[in-house]
Amino acid sequence: MTSPRPRISKAVIAAAGLGTRFLPATKATPKEMLPVVDQPAIQYVVEEATSAGLTDVLMITGRNKRPLEDHFDRNYELEDALRRKGDLDRLSRVQESTALATMHYVRQGDPKGLGHAVLCAAPHVGDQPFAVLLGDDLIDPRDPLLTRMTAVQEERGGSVIALMEVDPSQIHLYGCAAVESTGQDGVHRVTDLVEKPDRADAPSNLAVIGRYVLDPGVFEVLRETPPGRGGEIQLTDALQTMATSEVSGGPVYGVVFKGRRYDTGDRADYLRTIVRLACEREDLGPEFRAWLKTYVNEEMRALE
């Protein structure tokens, strides 16, 4: 009898990037701490992990990322001030982040790429499958992508990546997957991966987005993966090896995501994300939508 595969409980969040696209705002503030309405982007990511049952979270950080740790820690002075004012609603919101998960932190040190960041998690993860989430890629909580990915990994083994159809003109911005059907709706066997290919060389329009569920065998592959595009150790290169070779950690499956995704690492998408989420808020939406409608109408008339 085949023993059941272990339940996945650990998540690794890559949050060591410099955030250069948001300079000068990110000169002293981590890009992951930029607010999306009134909550930092990184909290949405941690909430997603815990909603999928991943309560042990390791965050890979770097220089000037201390505010990330402070955000998920207690702030007794602030809590006491809110309590004395009787502002229990804000007190509850402040305390939410401290109770989400068991948080751990490790610094990447040298910025050697996502593959190197994942490799920094090896001592913490050990020999169990684990999830990797990128700190500026938000998935709407109404679309439980990570829950499905962990279920696929627990059923099939190997490693699982999230894929999303993009316009072919945008495929050069992503890792790109070649796939074959498994017979299961929305789940494919990955046969090849290419990091940011030219449009003419792309094997499909399926882009790799920032969610992975990985077999611990990936660490051995990453240790043998030479620097690739940009002189960095690319996780895509390691996954390509796992998808095409008989090495530990494979095979690689892709779950095609058709839900709502917000890229807060891009300035235009960051603004769109704030507008969308603010419009949907019960406390902000009605007033904000009315203002937005008036503003857009005025702008359109000005352009006529």
Side-chain angles (χ1 to χ4, degrees):
M1 178 181 294
T2 303
S3 60
R5 295 188 175 90
R7 295 284 298 177
I8 299 169
S9 63
K10 294 184 178 181
V12 175
I13 299 178
L18 298 176
T20 52
R21 284 181 286 183
F22 281 85
L23 287 171
T26 51
K27 178 181 178 182
T29 301
K31 65 175 181 176
E32 297 84 4
M33 287 300 296
L34 294 177
V36 178
V37 189
D38 54 3
Q39 181 171 291
I42 193 65
Q43 186 169 332
Y44 290 91
V45 179
V46 175
E47 288 175 348
E48 180 190 351
T50 58
S51 294
L54 311 179
T55 56
D56 186 325
V57 177
L58 174 68
M59 198 170 293
I60 310 297
T61 68
R63 290 173 57 86
N64 301 324
K65 298 284 185 169
R66 182 61 185 270
L68 292 170
E69 299 183 35
D70 291 340
H71 179 72
F72 293 99
D73 199 359
R74 297 288 299 274
N75 187 326
Y76 294 102
E77 295 82 359
L78 176 59
E79 292 177 27
D80 184 60
L82 293 171
R83 191 176 292 109
R84 284 188 283 105
K85 289 173 59 178
D87 195 342
L88 300 184
D89 180 61
R90 286 190 174 87
L91 175 61
S92 176
R93 296 210 67 195
V94 165
Q95 292 176 329
E96 280 179 5
S97 61
T98 65
L100 284 172
T102 302
M103 301 294 298
H104 309 272
Y105 305 89
V106 64
R107 286 195 176 191
Q108 184 177 5
D110 295 328
K112 296 180 180 178
L114 178 58
H116 180 259
V118 171
L119 194 53
C120 291
H124 181 80
V125 169
D127 61 357
Q128 300 297 313
F130 63 105
V132 174
L133 302 86
L134 301 192
D136 52 11
D137 221 341
L138 309 188
I139 302 297
D140 195 291
R142 293 165 293 186
D143 302 313
L145 169 63
L146 197 57
T147 298
R148 187 172 190 212
M149 293 175 66
T150 57
V152 170
Q153 199 282 335
E154 289 167 2
E155 175 189 354
R156 294 178 175 271
S159 298
V160 183
I161 63 177
L163 302 174
M164 192 170 194
E165 292 184 1
V166 301
D167 188 278
S169 65
Q170 299 297 305
I171 196 64
H172 68 282
L173 301 173
Y174 299 88
C176 178
V179 300
E180 61 185 23
S181 176
T182 63
Q184 183 178 356
D185 185 39
V187 179
H188 301 282
R189 173 80 177 262
V190 176
T191 59
D192 198 11
L193 284 165
V194 183
E195 178 67 15
K196 297 182 178 179
D198 292 335
R199 178 174 180 173
D201 299 326
S204 73
N205 70 330
L206 290 173
V208 181
I209 59 175
R211 296 296 180 271
Y212 312 81
V213 178
L214 303 177
D215 182 274
V218 71
F219 296 128
E220 185 66 26
V221 179
L222 283 169
R223 292 186 185 101
E224 301 298 324
T225 300
R229 191 182 183 95
E232 298 179 337
I233 299 175
Q234 299 288 348
L235 180 58
T236 302
D237 291 344
L239 289 167
Q240 196 270 347
T241 298
M242 293 157 62
T244 59
S245 306
E246 296 294 328
V247 297
S248 179
V252 178
Y253 298 96
V255 170
V256 178
F257 180 61
K258 297 185 178 180
R260 288 154 285 201
R261 168 182 173 259
Y262 313 111
D263 181 4
T264 61
D266 176 84
R267 290 178 299 171
D269 271 357
Y270 172 73
L271 295 174
R272 285 190 284 266
T273 298
I274 293 174
V275 171
R276 287 172 182 150
L277 296 184
C279 284
E280 294 176 1
R281 288 270 293 262
E282 292 183 2
D283 56 339
L284 297 173
E287 180 180 352
F288 183 66
R289 288 194 301 269
W291 172 85
L292 188 62
K293 182 178 180 180
T294 299
Y295 173 74
V296 171
N297 288 337
E298 290 176 350
E299 288 295 300
M300 293 300 293
R301 285 196 297 270
L303 293 173
E304 292 177 353

